[in-house]
Amino acid sequence: MEEKYKRIAKLLLNSKKCIALTGAGISAESGIPTFRSKEGMWEKYDPAVYASIDAFHKDPSKYWTIRGDFIRNYDDYKPNPAHLTLAELEKMGVLTSVITQNIDGLHSKAGSKQVIELHGTLRRILCMQCSKEYTAPNVPDGTPPLCDECGGVLKPNTVLFGEPLPAKALSEAQRECSTCDIMLLIGTSTVVYPVAALPKLVKENGGQVIELNLENAFPFTDYFIGEKAGTAMPQIMAELKKIKNNN
Ligand SMILES: [Zn+2]
C-alpha cells in the first residue's frame, strides 16, 4: 500500500495539471447521507415524488422534509480529511480544481477555491418569486420555508431530477477534464451521465485516472485504491511531503 501511495504522490508532483472529481462517497465520511447507494435515500424516498422539479412545483414541502434538516443543521457538518487534503493540495499548487457532484458545500468549507459544483449547492437558497438569497443554515421556519420579504417558496440552488445541469459548470468541467493529465476520481460510481463522461474525457485526451473508491467503478482506471478517501488522501499527502522535503 505504502508503495502505491508513494507512486501516486510522485504522479501528482510531476503532473502538469491535476484535478479531482468527487461524489457522495467523499462526504459519506462526514455523515452526509448518500443517495444512490443500496441503502441510500433514494431507496427510502422515491426521487420522482421527493426530488423532481415537477414534484417540487406541485408540493415543495416533500422536498423540504428530506433536505430541510440538512440545511438547518448546515453548520454541524464538517469537511473530513479527504476534503481538507484536496484543499491543501490546491494551496500547494498541486491541484488545479475540484469538480463535484455533491451539493453539501464541504469542499468550499474545507478551503478549496476552484470548486465546480455540477449539481449546485444546498448552501444557497433562493426565493422563487423575488430571488432573495438565503444562506444555510439561515432560512425561515416552516416546511416549506417561505420568503420573509414576499412569501414566495424557497428553493435551494441545486439541480433537481428533471432539471438540466448548469451549462456553465458543465462546460467548465469538460474543459478541465480535457486539459488535465491526472484526475483523482474520488467516491463516485460514475454511472450517471453526463458526469460519467468526464473521466472518459480525461482518458481520451491522454490523461490518467487515479481512482479512490471502495469498489472499482471506472473501467479505465490507471491506479485504483480501494480505501476510504479520508484514510488514503492524508497518506498520499504524507508521501508527497516526504518527496518534497528530500528535494
Ligand atoms: Zn421573496
Side-chain angles (χ1 to χ4, degrees):
M1 250 319 166
E2 206 172 301
E3 237 353 89
K4 206 168 200 179
Y5 291 137
K6 198 186 282 177
R7 195 148 22 116
I8 289 169
K10 266 188 206 154
L11 281 170
L12 297 188
L13 277 175
N14 292 332
S15 82
K16 289 193 183 74
K17 177 170 176 171
C18 172
I19 65 169
L21 173 62
T22 69
I26 193 172
S27 290
E29 291 173 60
S30 291
I32 310 278
T34 61
F35 280 81
R36 284 183 196 279
S37 66
K38 260 183 236 136
E39 279 148 32
M41 295 273 273
W42 300 144
E43 288 289 313
K44 251 195 289 181
Y45 302 102
D46 180 357
V49 176
Y50 284 88
S52 72
I53 186 67
D54 290 345
F56 190 89
H57 285 309
K58 264 182 231 148
D59 178 7
S61 63
K62 285 220 167 54
Y63 174 85
W64 278 96
T65 53
I66 62 164
R67 297 285 207 208
D69 284 350
F70 176 85
I71 289 168
R72 295 196 172 89
N73 299 325
Y74 186 73
D75 288 345
D76 294 344
Y77 292 97
K78 304 272 185 282
N80 65 55
H83 297 105
L84 295 168
T85 303
L86 288 175
E88 194 179 353
L89 284 172
E90 182 184 345
K91 207 180 272 175
M92 291 165 77
V94 175
L95 189 79
T96 307
S97 61
V98 178
I99 303 164
T100 188
Q101 293 170 276
N102 299 338
I103 54 179
D104 50 48
L106 290 182
H107 285 299
S108 302
K109 249 190 197 179
S112 287
K113 298 280 180 265
Q114 295 299 320
V115 184
I116 301 169
E117 291 173 312
L118 289 172
H119 294 169
T121 172
L122 289 171
R123 201 168 21 122
R124 291 179 62 222
I125 299 117
L126 296 164
C127 171
M128 292 178 76
Q129 209 160 280
C130 75
S131 303
K132 178 172 174 182
E133 188 177 322
Y134 297 78
T135 308
N138 302 311
V139 288
D141 292 334
T143 306
L146 301 176
C147 178
D148 52 20
E149 293 278 328
C150 77
V153 169
L154 303 187
K155 178 186 178 292
N157 192 19
T158 57
V159 176
L160 297 185
F161 284 81
E163 285 188 293
L165 298 194
K168 185 166 168 273
L170 186 59
S171 69
E172 278 174 18
Q174 287 164 337
R175 192 198 56 217
E176 289 299 271
C177 291
S178 53
T179 54
C180 72
D181 59 352
I182 299 276
M183 168 187 270
L184 290 163
L185 182 67
I186 305 176
T188 170
S189 55
T190 70
V191 288
V192 187
Y193 276 87
V195 175
L198 295 175
K200 283 194 191 126
L201 206 50
V202 175
K203 294 294 295 176
E204 281 162 15
N205 287 281
Q208 291 186 299
V209 174
I210 300 167
E211 178 179 349
L212 286 82
N213 260 334
L214 294 181
E215 281 169 51
N216 183 195
F218 182 56
F220 311 107
T221 285
D222 297 279
Y223 298 89
F224 173 67
I225 294 185
E227 270 206 61
K228 286 186 174 171
T231 312
M233 287 304 297
Q235 307 249 37
I236 293 170
M237 178 58 89
E239 293 297 331
L240 197 143
K241 282 181 176 163
K242 268 190 226 163
I243 300 169
K244 275 198 108 165
N245 291 340
N246 284 342
N247 288 343

